[in-house]
Amino acid sequence: MTTPTAPRLGTALTRLLVLAAALLGVLLAGAAPASAHAALTGSDPKDGAVVATAPEEVGLTFSEQVAMSADSIRVLDPSGRRADTGEIIDLCSGAVVKYGVALRAGLPDGTYTVAWQTVSADSHPIAGAFTFSIGAPSATSVALPEQAPGGGIVGALYGIARYLSYAGFAVLVGGGAFVLLCWPRGASVRPVQQTVVRGWLTLTGATLAMLLLRGPYTGSGELADVFDLAGLQAVLQTKTGAALTSRLLLLGAAALFVAVLFGAYARRTDPKERKDLAFGLGLGGTVVAAGIAGTWALAEHASTGIQPGIAMPVDILHLLAVAAWLGGLTTLLVALYRAPSVERAAVERFSRVAFSSVAVLVATGLYQSWRQVGSWSALTGTRYGQLLLVKIGLMGVLVGIAWISRRWTRRLAERPAGAGTTPQAEADSATAADSETDPDTGEEEPEEQGPREAPDPERAAQLARQRAAMATARRKKARDADPERTGLRRSVLTEAAVAVVLLAVTTVLTSTEPGRTEQEAARAGGTTAGSAAVPDRPVDIRLPFDTGGVDGQGVVRIGLDPGRTGANALHLFVERPDGKPLDVPEIKVNLTLEEKGVGPLPVAPDRIQAGHWSASGVQLPLPGEWRVQVTVRTSEIDQTTIEKNIKIG
């Protein structure tokens, strides 16, 4: 006969898995693929610059250290052919992170495209592109990939593996800690054993998947490259590859820890031997858990930016506190549903562990938030800051539900002795709720063996229905008699559901550019992954004109998008005073930056329709106060020139 509590657990776990999958899909779909954590803060030549002669090399300056390969910087001529030698030049000096590539001799005039892709120091792929011109701007046939680095199916799979690795770590470490610190008898309970082992399997499988996906994730983006052994060998030589390999080795030690915990420790009956073994397991398990947490700290956010020497130990503490709380919560949930004989004292001890974990999370989280965000404007004005606010809100909800769970725990502890005397009596009472289930494993006890006649199928079905009805009645009676434990089950289940959401938000947060980095890059005028520059607002100005002839009055409306240095799209609309389109024989535009001696740069827009002209690829090589001059001719002899200054960032 099936354990009466199993269907309820299956329903609960199914809801959690569906919620996790749905939320993770939404977050991964809404997140920019592999947002940059390093940023391009400058280039030589600058984006959109027009130089008189071809430079000897192109240099890129980054906000933090990056890993460069032979194809990290490519310079393409107007026809799309390589214009560089392919030799990366290290131009770093002190705190300045700069790399370049030499150009070939004898390059013709025209617009050149610089496409770059690399990996930031915190393991995330970044890429971008910009243009500069030799002599004068020209048309270009260069077509860059639309997919951002770390995007596509490979990016989605890598993100899922990252999520599962965090979840597996929490269940493995938190489950082991729950058994050692809160419920030693749980070491012999089959559902608890299965939960911790599944955490180990999940973390191991996710780590292997990330190791195989790492090459295409930071490179080609092609799923087939998962089987490229040369690419895998290159990954193993990187910081992230070393961290993932170290994690696998530490998981081997963790497997030994789990085997001893659920083997020798579970079978010990002598209190002194059990206490000594528990001390050794606790000490060794803490070292292994800290080592596994360190594989994240050494390869991701904490290892770069300001104060890495402090940030990495803080990050390890943060991860261990998360695991102790959320992993212990998962194990408690399983114990409450699959092994209802869990003692009140175990729940009370976990309540204290969870409270300590939350205190550590608050302290380490405040430091990490300051380090990664740095200002109130970054907290509200960057994607990282906004995700952090969501995480803080979820933490608040989780703490509120945990407070409710603590109230149920307190009511369990304060229940009169007549309702449940000793922990063992409580266990026996829970076992009596279904006499055909084992109190420790929650599994069916084998039926007595012996010679018997072949059962009548109809009679057997009738008996099965009767046993099911009796089991349901016993289960309802037991739960009605123990409202405190029922309330605790529900609050812990709700707590676990919110934890699933919180873990998904945290996963996306780890692949999002920190707010401090984003704002520093914006102030430096640099770029982030997937974009050519930090844009200003599109320019939109109106210039009244009067040529003096018939239909000589009107307004020229000019739109310049995105209104920054580099290539822009120019749109001109000529309108009568009543707002209707006015088709004029000719219109010309000149752009001049007097303070730098640039221009006038002529623009010859094409007629699109009556009253509408446009020009693409209008190059503004430098920021500053540009003068826009527009010449409007309304007849053979009637024309006028109007002008206005615009600010280009």
Side-chain angles (χ1 to χ4, degrees), residues 195-459:
T195 300
V196 176
V197 170
R198 285 167 184 165
W200 183 90
L201 291 172
T202 300
L203 178 55
T204 303
T207 302
L208 283 170
M210 292 174 68
L211 193 60
L212 294 174
L213 289 167
R214 183 68 189 174
Y217 174 70
T218 59
S220 64
E222 299 293 333
L223 188 59
D225 288 344
V226 166
F227 305 104
D228 183 3
L229 295 181
L232 178 60
Q233 185 177 6
V235 167
L236 293 176
Q237 297 174 358
T238 65
K239 183 172 70 170
T240 302
L244 292 173
T245 305
S246 301
R247 189 181 302 167
L248 288 174
L249 294 174
L250 288 166
L251 282 168
L256 179 62
F257 168 87
V258 172
V260 174
L261 177 64
F262 297 139
Y265 178 78
R267 291 192 297 267
R268 285 287 190 275
T269 56
D270 183 80
K272 184 177 184 305
E273 291 182 0
R274 192 177 180 90
K275 183 178 180 181
D276 292 342
L277 188 54
F279 176 79
L281 285 171
L283 183 61
T286 301
V287 172
V288 173
I292 296 175
T295 61
W296 276 287
L298 291 171
E300 297 195 351
H301 280 168
S303 63
T304 62
I306 62 175
Q307 300 179 350
I310 300 175
M312 286 189 287
V314 167
D315 196 49
I316 292 173
L317 278 176
H318 191 81
L319 287 170
L320 291 177
V322 168
W325 185 15
L326 301 187
L329 186 71
T330 303
T331 311
L332 174 61
L333 180 65
V334 171
L336 286 170
Y337 276 90
R338 293 292 298 275
S341 59
V342 59
E343 297 89 355
R344 307 177 202 174
V347 180
E348 292 174 358
R349 284 192 288 268
F350 174 71
S351 181
R352 291 192 291 270
V353 170
F355 180 81
S356 301
S357 299
V358 171
V360 174
L361 283 174
V362 170
T364 55
L366 285 173
Y367 172 78
Q368 288 178 327
S369 300
W370 166 81
R371 183 175 177 270
Q372 299 293 357
V373 178
S375 66
W376 290 110
S377 59
L379 184 63
T380 57
T382 64
R383 177 172 173 78
Y384 186 94
Q386 292 162 359
L387 281 171
L388 183 60
L389 288 174
V390 173
K391 180 180 177 180
I392 292 171
L394 289 172
M395 276 290 296
V397 172
L398 201 56
V399 169
I401 301 172
W403 177 77
I404 296 174
S405 298
R406 285 175 64 88
R407 290 188 62 188
W408 283 117
T409 302
R410 194 177 301 115
R411 291 178 65 176
L412 269 174
E414 294 171 353
R415 195 165 58 177
T421 55
T422 64
Q424 186 59 46
E426 186 180 15
D428 295 340
S429 174
T431 304
D434 186 354
S435 59
E436 296 187 5
T437 61
D438 183 88
D440 287 338
T441 65
E443 296 179 343
E444 298 176 11
E445 291 185 350
E447 296 182 0
E448 295 182 1
Q449 302 296 322
R452 62 177 63 185
E453 298 179 359
D456 177 34
E458 293 185 4
R459 176 60 177 166

Side-chain angles (χ1 to χ4, degrees), residues 6-88:
R8 290 178 61 84
L9 175 67
T11 303
L13 290 181
T14 300
R15 290 171 181 171
L16 282 174
L17 290 174
V18 170
L19 176 61
L23 179 82
L24 186 61
V26 170
L27 289 171
L28 291 176
S35 301
H37 292 199
L40 183 69
T41 57
S43 64
D44 185 17
K46 293 183 177 181
D47 179 24
V50 179
V51 296
T53 58
E56 295 182 358
E57 64 188 27
V58 171
L60 305 180
T61 304
F62 295 91
S63 62
E64 63 182 48
Q65 190 57 250
V66 293
M68 306 295 288
S69 62
D71 285 334
S72 288
I73 305 175
R74 295 180 299 131
V75 182
L76 308 174
D77 66 16
S79 63
R81 294 190 298 267
R82 289 288 290 264
D84 62 274
T85 63
E87 179 183 354
I88 299 296

Side-chain angles (χ1 to χ4, degrees), residues 480-610:
D480 289 345
D482 196 357
E484 290 83 3
R485 192 176 295 272
T486 301
L488 181 61
R489 285 193 187 105
R490 291 172 179 171
S491 65
V492 170
L493 178 61
T494 306
E495 202 174 341
V498 177
V500 169
V501 181
L502 177 65
L503 195 61
V505 174
T506 301
T507 303
V508 176
L509 201 60
T510 60
S511 61
T512 302
E513 181 180 11
R516 184 189 292 270
T517 303
E518 183 177 337
Q519 286 204 330
E520 288 177 355
R523 286 193 295 267
T527 61
T528 55
S531 63
V534 178
D536 290 331
R537 294 180 180 177
V539 173
D540 190 3
I541 59 175
R542 300 172 64 87
L543 300 175
F545 67 88
D546 185 356
T547 62
V550 178
D551 273 340
Q553 292 185 344
V555 175
V556 176
R557 184 159 53 87
I558 301 175
L560 200 61
D561 189 14
R564 58 164 174 82
T565 56
N568 288 264
L570 178 69
H571 290 273
L572 296 98
F573 299 89
V574 183
E575 301 170 348
R576 290 185 168 87
D578 60 3
K580 294 181 180 179
L582 174 62
D583 207 14
V584 298
E586 184 180 24
I587 189 165
K588 298 185 211 178
V589 179
N590 284 309
L591 302 169
T592 306
L593 182 60
E594 291 184 345
E595 58 183 299
K596 299 293 178 64
V598 178
L601 304 178
V603 179
D606 297 320
R607 182 180 181 277
I608 305 301
Q609 61 185 14

Side-chain angles (χ1 to χ4, degrees), residues 1-7 434 437 444 471:
M1 187 176 74
T2 306
T3 306
T5 54
D434 186 354
T437 61
E444 298 176 11

